[in-house]
Amino acid sequence: SPAWYDFWTGAAQKGSREIDADAPLNRIPLYVRAGSIIPFGPEIEYASEKPAGPIELRIYKGADGTFDLYQDAGDSYDYEQGQHSVIPIRWNESTGVLTIGGREGSFPGMVAKCSFRIVVVGRGHGVGGEVTKDADKEVSYEGAEIKIALHSQ
């Protein structure tokens, strides 16, 4: 069975078993399955704000993973007419390669260029709700597919 990562500490443990987890009042137990890809965006105050900061992608190794990053203008119903974009993101566990696929679709006001901060989660690294200070890789993305090798992480 795949591993599960403690969201708060990055510690991995085997699945398919019961555990006793600390549950203080200010922090619920939260576990993320190996193979998950979780994006963390820059904080925005309102829907039409164009965030300048990069998107952090947390990779939970141990299994292949996929995530489709959906984006739209956020301030209308134009997405119902197909005005949105999707960026497919794939993690290949055996090769250690993260593929950020070609962007599909577009919408008015779309930011064409962005950067991704790639973080391979481990004990004390890429944990909790705050942005990770030291990314493993940072890449610039302009809509075309890119592959990032993460063998050494």
Side-chain angles (χ1 to χ4, degrees):
S1 67
W4 290 81
Y5 290 81
D6 184 316
F7 179 78
W8 306 107
T9 68
Q13 55 189 306
K14 292 180 182 175
S16 298
R17 62 192 182 98
E18 290 185 15
I19 62 165
D20 287 326
D22 289 335
L25 290 175
N26 62 345
R27 194 179 83 191
I28 63 165
L30 179 59
Y31 292 88
V32 182
R33 188 181 174 120
S36 296
I37 301 168
I38 299 182
F40 280 74
E43 285 190 23
I44 60 172
E45 300 296 322
Y46 47 92
S48 61
E49 182 178 352
K50 301 292 184 248
I55 296 170
E56 180 175 313
L57 294 177
R58 291 190 186 173
I59 311 302
Y60 293 81
K61 292 173 66 172
D64 291 344
T66 64
F67 186 87
D68 290 333
L69 182 61
Y70 174 92
Q71 296 176 311
D72 63 30
D75 58 359
S76 71
Y77 290 97
D78 291 343
Y79 66 90
E80 293 179 348
Q81 279 73 52
Q83 295 189 6
H84 66 272
S85 72
V86 175
I87 301 171
I89 303 169
R90 307 290 177 257
W91 167 250
N92 185 310
E93 178 68 19
S94 63
T95 62
V97 172
L98 180 71
T99 302
I100 302 174
R103 182 187 289 121
E104 301 161 11
S106 65
F107 56 92
M110 181 179 80
V111 177
K113 182 178 180 179
C114 67
S115 62
F116 288 101
R117 300 178 76 244
I118 315 302
V119 177
V120 179
V121 174
R123 189 176 291 274
H125 182 65
V127 299
E130 301 298 318
V131 171
T132 304
K133 289 182 175 53
D134 299 314
D136 296 300
K137 299 260 180 157
E138 187 156 353
V139 296
S140 182
Y141 177 80
E142 297 186 35
E145 179 180 283
I146 54 176
K147 292 181 179 287
I148 304 107
L150 297 166
H151 298 292
S152 59
Q153 271 69 33

